[in-house]
Amino acid sequence: MTRVLIVDDEPQILRAMRINLRARGYEVVVADTGAGALSAAASAVPDIVILDLGLPDMDGVEVIHGLRGWTRVPIVILSGRAESRDKVGALDAGADDYITKPFGIDELLARLRAVARRGGEQGASPIVRFGRVTVDLAAHRVTRAWPAADGTDGPLGADGRVSPGSGAGGDVGDVGDGAAGEERVDEVHLTKTEWGLLRVLVSHPGKLVTQRQLLTEVWGARYETETHYLRTYLNRLRQKLEDDPARPRHLLTEPGMGYRFQP
Amino acid sequence: MTRVLIVDDEPQILRAMRINLRARGYEVVVADTGAGALSAAASAVPDIVILDLGLPDMDGVEVIHGLRGWTRVPIVILSGRAESRDKVGALDAGADDYITKPFGIDELLARLRAVARRGGEQGASPIVRFGRVTVDLAAHRVTRAWPAADGTDGPLGADGRVSPGSGAGGDVGDVGDGAAGEERVDEVHLTKTEWGLLRVLVSHPGKLVTQRQLLTEVWGARYETETHYLRTYLNRLRQKLEDDPARPRHLLTEPGMGYRFQP
DNA sequence: ATCCTTGTTAACGGTTTGTTGACACCCCCA
DNA sequence: TGGGGGTGTCAACAAACCGTTAACAAGGAT
């Protein structure tokens, strides 16, 4: 879900936009000062920032500079001033679009889609690595490197049996050629549910995620009590991703509370 | 130097903008029709396109679609129409910004800098190759090379029967002459829908594309649930493009999630 | 020691997907 | 105006996949 930070000092505008954007499926975070905007952008890490230029504590261009110092998040300016000088200043400071009030909500939404579209395509795709596993959240792709030292280990267990859920039509195939001393990199095929679970966990690196949160985000609110799903699927993920599934090092259990992804 | 393609049918505007942009250090290419814009974009490969919506030969949104079919070059719309409906249509078709006339040249230049700032980082080759297939996104053309080793194989199966979905009036004809040791290269004819599907997939190489995204981009938002279209058309594409359509290596299914183009 | 939570494995069956074929529509052409 | 090839849409069936469930083992806490 796209997360939008709205920065405006007029409560009624803030409220109207929050309602509108939430109704369109955006996740909304708000701030009503420039300083609040900068700290909210750092903590909430929004996908888009909507910034009103007429803030009480800071000049709008200063806010843009403050953001651009460390992030390339798309910034859409809302302003009552339609003068060319203001637009040029804001755009050259690093804003991506400039809309003058009054504006239509449809136009705002279309412009948000436009900047989000561009913003989403570029930039380092969010890649998470742990152990020998690489998770590409944008491409929905998981790869796992296997040591080639002994040459025989790999997706096939020591007993030669195909481990359940790996191989068997799911894997695309080896990328490496298996030559001695080289690493083999295999695609790890995850089902929709497995992927959803892994996504939630790696999105909160190092943090404890409660069972309830996992169940609602992956299965839906009605599954809040089906904790055995978590056990089954954590087991599957560990089988596919952990070097020693019986002694997980990255997908950890916090008994009585939930699970934790340890990078 | 940044190359800008200006598309407008009013000579005086064309002239004024050419002078202004050249004075600012831009290289300027012009076109005064939609068709001319598409061919100029393909041959001149501009860094930015400035597009007037009121062209005589094509609807502006069609031009945007024609460009977005193969390139992500930033598109800035100029239009006399300020209605929300026009803006939304153009932006959702893939435009990056929308400026209503009359406009200040300073604002235009600032918006060009804003889109160029982001656009310069990407840019993909309009030609995609995988296996024996070459996809030219700019020319809307797909070719497939056949091994000439045994001399008899090709679009005709070993039993002499025309393989379903290829050939059968679709192929334009052999380009190669079939001499021993040479490769034969055949045009692969794709229908509009097939092309749209392939375009979306190869535009996101290696990434998973959800069923919803494919359906909305190729068929439209109202077809979001018609997943059987995807199955039918993926089958057709595999028949035409995969060496072994039953075991696709490049047009892959991710069960429950979507499809992936694997270069 | 016993109970509760968690881990592990296997199997069933519904759902999704692949595949084929039929049919209506449209445009071009005679 | 009628015919025919090409295309989009839809239905039906087979096959593969994966969510769900069950059963039991293991570990830890009270």
Side-chain angles (χ1 to χ4, degrees):
Chain A
M1 180 154 54
T2 308
R3 187 180 304 141
V4 181
L5 169 62
I6 308 178
V7 188
D8 202 308
D9 63 326
E10 298 177 57
Q12 65 271 28
I13 290 189
L14 220 47
R15 185 168 164 278
M17 294 199 27
R18 171 153 54 186
I19 292 171
N20 261 297
L21 291 178
R22 285 219 171 121
R24 259 76 174 196
Y26 290 93
E27 187 182 340
V28 176
V29 182
V30 301
D32 55 5
T33 61
L38 293 176
S39 76
S43 59
V45 195
D47 302 300
I48 305 177
V49 174
I50 301 177
L51 176 64
D52 183 278
L53 281 193
L55 296 176
D57 62 329
M58 289 172 69
D59 182 65
V61 172
E62 281 180 60
V63 180
I64 300 173
H65 277 131
L67 289 168
R68 280 290 173 263
W70 60 276
T71 178
R72 317 194 63 155
V73 59
I75 302 175
V76 176
I77 300 298
L78 290 184
S79 171
R81 286 175 287 186
E83 288 168 40
S84 191
R85 189 172 56 250
D86 297 311
K87 297 185 185 178
V88 171
L91 290 168
D92 280 343
D96 293 281
D97 206 340
Y98 190 109
I99 308 177
T100 53
K101 300 177 185 175
F103 56 89
I105 187 70
D106 289 336
E107 177 183 348
L108 170 66
L109 290 166
R111 288 190 182 270
L112 289 184
R113 286 192 292 273
V115 299
R117 191 195 312 138
R118 279 194 294 160
E121 288 166 4
Q122 70 180 21
S125 66
I127 289 186
V128 181
R129 286 177 219 276
F130 58 94
R132 297 197 175 102
V133 175
T134 302
V135 181
D136 186 335
L137 288 170
H140 283 228
R141 172 179 273 213
V142 178
T143 55
R144 179 171 181 184
W146 287 94
D150 51 9
T152 58
D153 221 348
L156 294 179
D159 56 353
R161 194 171 54 84
V162 174
S163 59
S166 91
D171 295 352
V172 173
D174 295 352
V175 176
D177 57 6
E182 281 198 9
E183 259 194 346
R184 284 172 48 189
V185 177
D186 290 324
E187 294 261 340
V188 178
H189 175 78
L190 297 186
T191 72
K192 189 177 166 186
T193 308
E194 290 165 351
W195 175 260
L197 191 55
L198 181 64
R199 178 175 51 75
V200 175
L201 285 170
V202 303
S203 298
H204 303 84
K207 293 189 180 173
L208 178 122
V209 188
T210 64
Q211 303 188 343
R212 249 179 75 178
Q213 187 178 351
L214 287 169
L215 287 165
T216 46
E217 290 205 26
V218 179
W219 281 270
R222 300 187 316 150
Y223 292 74
E224 252 183 22
T225 58
E226 313 285 332
T227 56
H228 59 284
Y229 284 11
L230 290 178
R231 291 195 284 282
T232 300
Y233 274 91
L234 257 299
N235 177 41
R236 291 189 187 176
L237 283 179
R238 286 168 178 156
Q239 295 291 339
K240 291 185 178 182
L241 303 180
E242 289 279 2
D243 280 343
D244 184 354
R247 303 183 178 213
R249 293 176 52 196
H250 304 104
L251 302 172
L252 309 179
T253 303
E254 298 283 349
M257 306 176 64
Y259 294 86
R260 180 195 307 279
F261 163 63
Q262 186 71 28
Chain B
M1 183 153 51
T2 307
R3 186 181 303 141
V4 180
L5 169 62
I6 308 178
V7 189
D8 202 310
D9 63 327
E10 298 175 58
Q12 63 273 27
I13 289 189
L14 220 48
R15 186 167 164 278
M17 292 195 32
R18 173 152 52 187
I19 291 171
N20 261 298
L21 290 178
R22 286 215 170 126
R24 259 75 173 196
Y26 289 94
E27 185 181 341
V28 176
V29 183
V30 301
D32 56 5
T33 62
L38 293 176
S39 74
S43 58
V45 194
D47 302 301
I48 305 178
V49 174
I50 300 177
L51 175 64
D52 182 279
L53 280 192
L55 296 176
D57 62 330
M58 290 173 68
D59 181 64
V61 172
E62 281 180 59
V63 181
I64 299 173
H65 276 132
L67 290 168
R68 279 290 173 265
W70 61 275
T71 177
R72 295 183 184 180
V73 59
I75 301 176
V76 176
I77 299 298
L78 290 185
S79 171
R81 287 174 287 186
E83 287 169 40
S84 188
R85 192 171 55 251
D86 298 309
K87 297 184 183 179
V88 172
L91 290 169
D92 279 343
D96 294 282
D97 206 340
Y98 190 107
I99 309 178
T100 53
K101 299 178 185 176
F103 56 88
I105 187 69
D106 288 336
E107 177 183 349
L108 171 65
L109 290 167
R111 287 189 183 270
L112 290 184
R113 286 192 293 273
V115 298
R117 196 190 308 142
R118 297 182 148 259
E121 299 157 8
Q122 51 200 25
S125 150
I127 291 190
V128 180
R129 287 175 219 277
F130 59 94
R132 298 196 175 101
V133 174
T134 301
V135 180
D136 186 335
L137 289 170
H140 282 230
R141 183 182 179 130
V142 178
T143 56
R144 179 172 180 181
W146 288 94
D150 51 10
T152 59
D153 222 347
L156 295 179
D159 57 353
R161 192 173 55 86
V162 174
S163 59
S166 90
D171 296 352
V172 173
D174 295 351
V175 176
D177 59 6
E182 282 198 8
E183 263 193 342
R184 284 171 48 191
V185 178
D186 290 325
E187 292 258 344
V188 179
H189 174 78
L190 298 185
T191 72
K192 187 178 163 189
T193 307
E194 290 166 350
W195 175 261
L197 191 55
L198 181 64
R199 173 176 59 75
V200 176
L201 285 170
V202 301
S203 297
H204 303 85
K207 291 192 178 179
L208 181 137
V209 187
T210 63
Q211 304 186 343
R212 252 179 70 181
Q213 187 178 350
L214 288 169
L215 287 165
T216 48
E217 291 205 24
V218 178
W219 280 270
R222 298 186 315 149
Y223 292 75
E224 248 184 25
T225 58
E226 313 286 332
T227 56
H228 57 283
Y229 286 11
L230 290 178
R231 292 195 283 281
T232 300
Y233 275 90
L234 257 300
N235 179 37
R236 292 188 187 176
L237 283 179
R238 284 167 177 156
Q239 295 292 340
K240 291 186 178 181
L241 303 180
E242 289 278 2
D243 281 343
D244 183 355
R247 302 183 179 215
R249 293 177 52 196
H250 302 105
L251 302 173
L252 309 179
T253 303
E254 296 284 349
M257 298 194 280
Y259 294 86
R260 182 196 306 279
F261 163 64
Q262 182 76 22

